[in-house]
Amino acid sequence: MIETAKAQIDALLADDPPIAVLTGAGCSAESGVPTFRGAEGLWKQYRPEELASPEAFARDPDLVWEWYAWRRERLFPCQPNAAHRIIAAMERRFGDFSLITQNVDGLHQLAGSTDVVELHGNIWRVFDPIGSYDEVVRVATLDEVPPRCPQTGNLLRPGVVWFGEALPPDAIQAADAAMSRFKVLFVVGTSAVVYPAAYFPVIAKRHGAFVVEINPDATSLSEMVDIALPMKAGEALPQLFPDLVTP
Ligand code: OAD
């Protein structure tokens, strides 16, 4: 199956069309980052509305920050996997390439991707919602939890998009523009249940894009995509792009 898919994809990419990759938590699974849904998923153990919403933060910032501090600590040692590395190499190889991620872990950037549209923010970003403090603090352990602005003492918050919040307008615009323009879309490791990201492949398809899904499990997209590869990202991408494999 992968050989047939590769031949089809190679033919499509031969004249360097605009291409895009949309990633979700599954792309980082092989780096040891927990996904949100599925048997071991974070949302199986925790309730998003108690930990990842503006209301939760207003009600109990200590609890919310403890959860983010725990996630940061867990994420800190995680390294990019083969899928992140191939995607970073795709940016260098293809003339017109967009990477749109729902992941907040920063692993695409660690793998070398330089132009990443982060739909759901970045867990390493810490900012003051009412003041100007806004920093990327990539450390395993924060000095204080919850952290406060060193100048004003204001309570800081994680730079992630919470349930009930709007996505960053520039990220949405960039993703929208990419979806109507590119010819090939790779959808990697997302359950495609969180909007608007889940809708992007549908928009892409409507605009005539060839959509390839890489996910060991079927999703609501699997029926409508052109190729659904039931494989792990770190196994499928190196087989599709063997010349982009780096150690
Ligand atoms: P999910 O946890 O919902 O889905 C992860 C998907 O990855 C599932 O469909 C798995 O089958 C698949 N998967 C698991 N291992 C894989 C592997 N090695 N290779 C490829 N796929 C694999 O994660 P997302 O779709 O990213 O939002 O979730 C979307 C959003 O929901 C997240 O960004 C987060 C969450 O609530 C916010 O926090 C705002």
Side-chain angles (χ1 to χ4, degrees), residues 20-22 98-102 116-119 167-182 185 196-201 203-204 207:
V21 175
L22 171 67
S98 304
L99 170 58
I100 299 143
T101 188
Q102 298 167 85
V116 188
V117 176
E118 293 183 310
L119 289 172
L167 269 55
D170 50 343
I172 286 288
Q173 261 169 25
D176 261 349
M179 293 301 143
S180 53
R181 201 171 52 75
F182 58 74
L185 168 66
Y199 198 54
F200 290 152
I203 302 176
H207 281 87

Side-chain angles (χ1 to χ4, degrees), residues 24-26 30 36-37 43 102 120 161 163 189-191 215-217 233:
E30 289 154 86
F36 292 92
R37 296 167 186 86
W43 295 151
Q102 298 167 85
H120 295 165
V161 177
F163 285 89
T190 177
S191 59
N215 193 321
D217 296 329

Side-chain angles (χ1 to χ4, degrees), residues 17-42:
I19 69 177
V21 175
L22 171 67
T23 62
C27 187
S28 295
E30 289 154 86
S31 295
V33 178
T35 59
F36 292 92
R37 296 167 186 86
E40 305 282 307
L42 288 174

Side-chain angles (χ1 to χ4, degrees), residues 142-225:
L142 288 159
D143 291 340
E144 52 171 349
V145 176
R148 294 194 168 267
C149 172
Q151 283 88 40
T152 62
N154 289 348
L155 181 65
L156 302 174
R157 61 160 279 182
V160 296
V161 177
W162 281 330
F163 285 89
E165 288 189 315
L167 269 55
D170 50 343
I172 286 288
Q173 261 169 25
D176 261 349
M179 293 301 143
S180 53
R181 201 171 52 75
F182 58 74
K183 296 285 178 271
V184 184
L185 168 66
F186 295 87
V187 184
V188 183
T190 177
S191 59
V193 296
V194 173
Y195 286 83
Y199 198 54
F200 290 152
V202 181
I203 302 176
K205 199 84 199 88
R206 280 206 194 129
H207 281 87
F210 187 91
V211 181
V212 181
E213 180 182 57
I214 300 173
N215 193 321
D217 296 329
T219 72
S220 60
L221 297 176
S222 306
E223 293 279 300
M224 58 142 278
V225 298

Side-chain angles (χ1 to χ4, degrees), residues 16 19-21 83-100 108-117 241 244:
D16 202 10
I19 69 177
V21 175
H84 297 110
R85 288 194 292 274
I86 295 280
I87 293 168
M90 287 168 86
E91 178 188 310
R92 295 188 290 272
R93 161 68 59 86
F94 297 107
D96 190 345
F97 178 83
S98 304
L99 170 58
I100 299 143
H108 284 302
Q109 291 89 333
L110 267 190
S113 289
T114 61
D115 195 0
V116 188
V117 176
F241 298 101
L244 298 183

